[in-house]
Amino acid sequence: MRPSMSLIRSASRVARRTYSTESVPQRKVAVLGAGGGIGQPLALLMKLNPLVSHLSLYDIAGTPGVAADVSHINTRSEVKGYAGEEHLAAALEGCDVVIIPAGVPRKPGMTRDDLFNINAGIVKSLTTAIAKYCPHAIINMISNPVNSIVPIASEVLKKAGVYDEKKLFGVTTLDVVRAKTFYAGKAGVPVAEVNVPVVGGHAGVTILPLFSQATPKANLSNDYIEALTKRTQDGGTEVVEAKAGKGSATLSMAYAGALFADACLKGLNGVPDVVECSFVQSSITELPFFASKVRLGKNGVEEVLDLGPLSDYEKEGLEKLKPELKSSIEKGIKFANQS
Ligand code: NAD
């Protein structure tokens, strides 16, 4: 089954199982950066999600076309497109979930941190607007560098007096999607059955897949595990290089973003036991933000789950990632408080 179809079918199944069609709650979802490489396919996938009643597509330009196009699809949600900052308030008002893929992507040779100067400012201004127009919305932050962008958003929301740590998420789902795909290939198990937690952050060595906890179990050698870990950490760069200057992952990211937003909506709607990995405010390590498994509920984060048993290789990886993740977090906090 194609991934997007499986997402839609599982969302429909959950909707049918959990509520009668009439009682599916009204949910407004906004995509900020909806005209971009991620934004457009993400808009499509959110239009296919039966848990969405209102889909708000915002960008600085180009959104009326995307909105008109997507709006002809005969699914539940009503679609509106908004272009330009003067329409941001209308795009955000009443939102339950705001997904942010606004900003510039990487080119070959760039790290995610190289995007900081441009994307930090974009996300700061979008988060300021969220604080004003939909302060209770769940925020799914896709823009890179996620490790610094999420701390920036938390500071902006704190300053506005509306920070709720249960509602701010860095989207690391693509790391999980990649880890599952690569593991299934090496382990020779059906990819649809694979589960692999990915913890830490969302850049290079801060991405730590926990293959020792992967299911279905497979007896992979240490060399295989190291190669899988490296490939998961470099998955984004693999795409950046293959696209040769035309951006970074967009289609797989849209899939991952839609999967995570769907999980947030299920949580909001009271579906039990919705667990996904995400970069959130955390106390499971000494770092103030950390990606791990998170149980999602009616208020966003219901529980941040701990790391579980780690192999020696993973323990080493965890210690190795901490200094880089710490400095990326501090960089975000400093930017938010200086600028
Ligand atoms: P893109 O350049 O194709 O699209 C970005 C869109 O953002 C553009 O349409 C642009 O007009 C819009 N934009 C710029 N400033 C804006 C503003 N102030 N308000 C609203 N929209 C604005 O880039 P892309 O490939 O879609 O990537 C977007 C971001 O997602 C990048 O930062 C990229 O690094 C990141 N990304 C994250 C992950 C992840 O796993 N979290 C994966 C891939 C890419």
Side-chain angles (χ1 to χ4, degrees), residues 178-191 194 220 228 231:
R178 286 178 176 141
K180 286 179 176 180
T181 304
F182 302 157
Y183 177 84
K186 279 274 185 249
V189 293
V191 70
V194 172
L220 296 179
L228 280 174
R231 187 161 181 218

Side-chain angles (χ1 to χ4, degrees), residues 56-300:
S56 173
L57 303 178
Y58 173 82
D59 203 306
I60 45 176
T63 16
V66 179
D69 192 355
V70 164
S71 73
H72 290 181
I73 296 169
N74 58 328
T75 54
R76 179 186 181 211
S77 53
E78 184 185 302
V79 181
K80 286 201 177 138
Y82 303 90
E85 222 178 315
E86 65 278 21
H87 301 292
L88 187 50
L92 290 174
E93 267 159 9
C95 273
D96 298 287
V97 177
V98 180
I99 314 172
I100 311 188
V104 289
R106 283 192 288 162
K107 295 213 159 88
M110 288 172 91
T111 66
R112 291 178 179 86
D113 195 49
D114 293 332
L115 306 172
F116 184 90
N117 288 336
I118 301 174
N119 290 354
I122 292 174
V123 166
K124 193 176 174 207
S125 73
L126 292 173
T127 310
T128 303
I130 291 170
K132 196 162 166 197
Y133 300 115
C134 57
H136 305 299
I138 281 181
I139 303 174
N140 290 179
M141 206 59 92
I142 292 175
S143 310
N144 271 317
V146 167
N147 293 353
S148 303
I149 292 288
V150 170
I152 291 174
S154 78
E155 291 300 300
V156 171
L157 295 165
K158 272 182 209 162
K159 277 198 191 141
V162 296
Y163 180 51
D164 180 351
E165 74 273 12
K166 293 186 166 68
K167 296 197 164 173
L168 178 61
F169 298 88
V171 179
T172 58
T173 319
L174 183 52
D175 302 320
V176 178
V177 164
R178 286 178 176 141
K180 286 179 176 180
T181 304
F182 302 157
Y183 177 84
K186 279 274 185 249
V189 293
V191 70
E193 288 173 23
V194 172
N195 265 311
V196 184
V198 182
V199 303
H202 174 67
V205 297
T206 71
I207 300 168
L208 183 63
L210 303 181
F211 288 113
S212 69
Q213 297 176 22
T215 54
K217 289 267 170 240
N219 218 354
L220 296 179
S221 69
N222 290 346
D223 285 352
Y224 269 179
I225 295 293
E226 277 180 40
L228 280 174
T229 302
K230 184 102 183 54
R231 187 161 181 218
T232 306
Q233 292 170 336
D234 293 344
T237 305
E238 207 178 284
V239 178
V240 169
E241 281 168 6
K243 289 198 175 178
K246 297 222 165 78
S248 57
T250 53
L251 303 174
S252 52
M253 182 58 240
Y255 168 71
L259 206 62
F260 189 69
D262 180 65
C264 290
L265 288 164
K266 284 178 186 156
L268 280 179
N269 290 356
V271 175
D273 218 22
V274 181
V275 175
E276 289 290 336
C277 290
S278 182
F279 185 66
V280 293
Q281 183 173 314
S282 173
S283 53
I284 65 169
T285 70
E286 62 273 35
L287 299 176
F289 293 91
F290 202 81
S292 66
K293 285 203 257 180
V294 169
R295 192 181 310 285
L296 297 160
K298 289 188 174 176
N299 299 307

